[in-house]
Amino acid sequence: HHGVKFGDRRAVMRERILAMKEIWANDEAEFHGEPVEFSSSWQWPKPTQKPHPPIILGGAAGPKTMKDIIEYCDGFMPISGRYDFAEQINTLKQMAEDAGRDPESFDFGQFGTPPKAEVVDTLIEAGCNRVVFTLPPADADTVIPKLDQISEFKDLSPGMIPGELGSKLRDVQGKINEVQNKVSEVKQQINEVKQKVNQVKGMINDG
């Protein structure tokens, strides 16, 4: 815990994150807490993401952690198997709504998700935006079959992802498709020009 007493870790983490958010968002920042205290401070460069990078909290989400997530985080990414994650997502969304925050603005992910279709489908339906599969530190004969199993999920469509993230991914996919179509059109035009150039070269040679 980097020198922090075990019983103080939550309070210290909370104030450090709140202090960082102040520094990220303001040219002149100050923070007055108990573990964290500073007067006017200036720090650059500021993050590219506005107002700041998303704060994704891990850990086992009991009542205290859930309260922390709603207060100062933008998402939650626990390790698989400790709790019913789909139920936790629903609880956190309701807590966010009760606190006046947009439930769909939260980013939910899970680390160590079992590569099983029924598990992934349940998480997606609950609003999980990402899953992280794991691989064992083993030889190729062990790892490659597991990679093959995981590859079954490579075609997960943005259309299957609910909420704001799914909407953004669909927009991005639409723009990618537009660019790909334009690239194809340009390639076709280039080929046509090349054909005409070759025709002209042929006529010159014949002449």
Side-chain angles (χ1 to χ4, degrees):
H1 296 283
H2 306 285
V4 178
K5 292 181 180 179
F6 186 81
D8 296 338
R9 69 195 191 286
R10 290 181 183 275
V12 172
M13 178 179 71
R14 173 182 176 274
E15 288 199 4
R16 285 179 177 175
I17 290 177
L18 291 173
M20 286 191 297
K21 291 172 76 169
E22 287 295 315
I23 293 172
W24 287 335
N26 300 291
D27 287 340
E28 182 175 344
E30 59 182 84
F31 189 88
H32 304 285
E34 293 184 7
V36 180
E37 165 76 30
F38 57 83
S39 56
S40 294
S41 175
W42 299 263
Q43 187 272 333
W44 288 275
K46 300 297 184 184
T48 301
Q49 294 168 286
K50 301 299 180 185
H52 53 72
I55 308 298
I56 310 297
L57 192 64
K64 289 184 178 180
T65 301
M66 287 189 173
K67 184 179 178 181
D68 289 341
I69 293 168
I70 299 304
E71 180 189 6
Y72 59 82
C73 296
D74 305 295
F76 177 47
M77 189 170 185
I79 297 174
S80 170
R82 298 185 178 181
Y83 292 91
D84 183 338
F85 188 38
E87 182 178 341
Q88 287 183 319
I89 290 174
N90 292 330
T91 299
L92 284 165
K93 284 186 173 183
Q94 185 59 57
M95 290 176 66
E97 189 171 345
D98 293 342
R101 296 190 63 182
D102 179 7
E104 299 304 321
S105 69
F106 282 78
D107 187 348
F108 295 107
Q110 188 183 71
F111 182 84
T113 304
K116 298 178 180 179
E118 62 272 18
V119 174
V120 174
D121 289 345
T122 299
L123 293 177
I124 290 173
E125 289 172 5
C128 184
N129 300 325
R130 74 166 67 88
V131 294
V132 178
F133 302 121
T134 60
L135 292 169
D139 56 27
D141 290 339
T142 302
V143 172
I144 290 177
K146 292 188 177 296
L147 280 173
D148 291 337
Q149 182 184 9
I150 292 172
S151 70
E152 296 174 4
F153 297 93
K154 70 181 186 304
D155 295 325
L156 183 63
S157 167
M160 297 174 63
I161 301 176
E164 183 180 359
L165 178 64
S167 177
K168 289 181 178 179
L169 286 174
R170 288 187 286 275
D171 289 343
V172 170
Q173 187 63 56
K175 291 177 181 178
I176 290 174
N177 291 339
E178 290 178 6
V179 171
Q180 288 177 335
N181 290 336
K182 288 181 180 179
V183 169
S184 296
E185 291 176 3
V186 170
K187 285 182 177 179
Q188 184 176 352
Q189 292 172 358
I190 290 173
N191 289 333
E192 291 175 355
V193 170
K194 285 182 178 179
Q195 290 177 0
K196 290 180 180 179
V197 168
N198 290 333
Q199 289 175 357
V200 171
K201 286 182 177 179
M203 293 172 62
I204 293 174
N205 292 333
D206 293 341

